[in-house]
């Protein structure tokens, strides 16, 4: 079969790609009921290593992962009353 080179992870209309990535990931918040206000990044040990306030509203958000070591990270998106988590591989 065909092996996809880039997986687009989608949860309730929010898309995150490319995954795995060598540089940056794009988050497309496509759910009108989920306005991303804050983005937190955690390493594979569960330690928070970065945090951003989303100033883009419902626009696509780019997060640069180049300064991080290769490995798995968790990106947590927060709205007023909900959160969504995504696993991202940096290679």
């Amino acid at each position: 079969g065909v092996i996809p080179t880039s997986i687009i992870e989608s949860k309730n209309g929010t898309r995150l790609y490319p995954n795995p990535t060598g540089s940056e990931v794009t988050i497309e918040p496509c759910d009108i009921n989920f306005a991303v206000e804050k983005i937190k990044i955690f390493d594979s040990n569960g330690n928070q290593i970065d945090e951003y306030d989303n100033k883009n509203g419902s626009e696509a958000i780019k997060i640069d992962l180049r300064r991080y070591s290769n490995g798995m990270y968790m990106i947590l998106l927060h709205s007023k009353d909900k959160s969504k988590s995504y696993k991202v591989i940096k290679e």
Side-chain angles (χ1 to χ4, degrees):
V2 177
I3 298 172
T5 56
S6 174
I7 295 173
I8 295 176
E9 186 170 357
S10 179
K11 287 186 184 172
N12 300 328
T14 301
R15 300 184 334 139
L16 185 139
Y17 61 89
N19 189 11
T21 183
S23 56
E24 62 183 22
V25 293
T26 300
I27 299 165
E28 282 185 7
C30 305
D31 181 353
I32 59 169
N33 298 314
F34 188 82
V36 177
E37 295 180 355
K38 195 171 286 292
I39 300 149
K40 295 180 180 179
I41 302 175
F42 296 84
D43 65 17
S44 59
N45 297 319
N47 300 311
Q48 183 175 325
I49 55 173
D50 221 332
E51 182 173 317
Y52 303 94
D53 288 321
N54 179 27
K55 310 250 189 281
N56 291 347
S58 60
E59 302 283 316
I61 305 156
K62 291 196 182 302
I63 297 178
D64 191 344
L65 300 176
R66 279 180 274 237
R67 62 186 166 159
Y68 303 125
S69 305
N70 290 357
M72 191 186 79
Y73 295 88
M74 182 74 69
I75 295 181
L76 201 60
L77 307 179
H78 291 279
S79 71
K80 269 192 171 71
D81 55 353
K82 290 187 236 170
S83 62
K84 295 179 184 178
S85 61
Y86 297 84
K87 287 182 183 167
V88 176
I89 308 270
K90 160 74 172 42
E91 51 182 29

